[in-house]
């Protein structure tokens, strides 16, 4: 039995429905995950290296600013709720 020459491992072909590794959608989703782990302060070094390879800087900045705004807004709302007369 001979192997099919067009389907060998590492031939560089991807299925037609596969998302390219650095697509905007993949990068944005990966950025969300990285920011979430960053807020919790838990991340493996190998995961951090993977983040740097996959994340676009613009996505990282936008998501981080939005996450900080939501966090600060939540703290302000909590303080107003607790300190209300």
């Amino acid at each position: 039995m001979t192997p099919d020459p067009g389907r060998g491992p590492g031939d560089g072909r991807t299925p037609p429905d596969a998302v390219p590794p650095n697509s905007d959608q993949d990068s944005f989703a990966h950025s969300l995950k990285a920011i979430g782990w960053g807020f919790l302060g838990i991340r493996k070094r190998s995961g951090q290296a993977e983040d740097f390879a996959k994340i676009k800087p613009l996505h990282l900045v936008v998501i981080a600013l939005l996450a900080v705004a939501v966090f600060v807004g939540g703290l302000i709302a909590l303080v107003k709720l607790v300190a209300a007369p």
Side-chain angles (χ1 to χ4, degrees):
M1 201 170 157
T2 60
D4 184 7
R7 294 188 177 256
D11 65 355
R13 297 182 190 181
T14 57
D17 59 343
V19 178
N22 288 328
S23 71
D24 285 344
Q25 183 181 11
D26 187 39
S27 178
F28 192 77
H30 205 83
S31 298
L32 280 173
K33 188 172 93 171
I35 294 295
W37 286 120
F39 265 92
L40 291 176
I42 51 175
R43 191 72 172 143
K44 292 181 180 177
R45 188 163 303 272
S46 61
Q48 185 181 17
E50 181 183 340
D51 291 342
F52 286 133
K54 288 186 176 181
I55 294 176
K56 292 185 178 182
L58 180 61
H59 291 170
L60 186 68
V61 170
V62 169
I63 293 171
L65 289 175
L66 288 174
V68 167
V70 168
F71 181 72
V72 170
L75 287 178
I76 290 171
L78 181 66
V79 168
K80 285 186 178 185
L81 180 68
V82 171

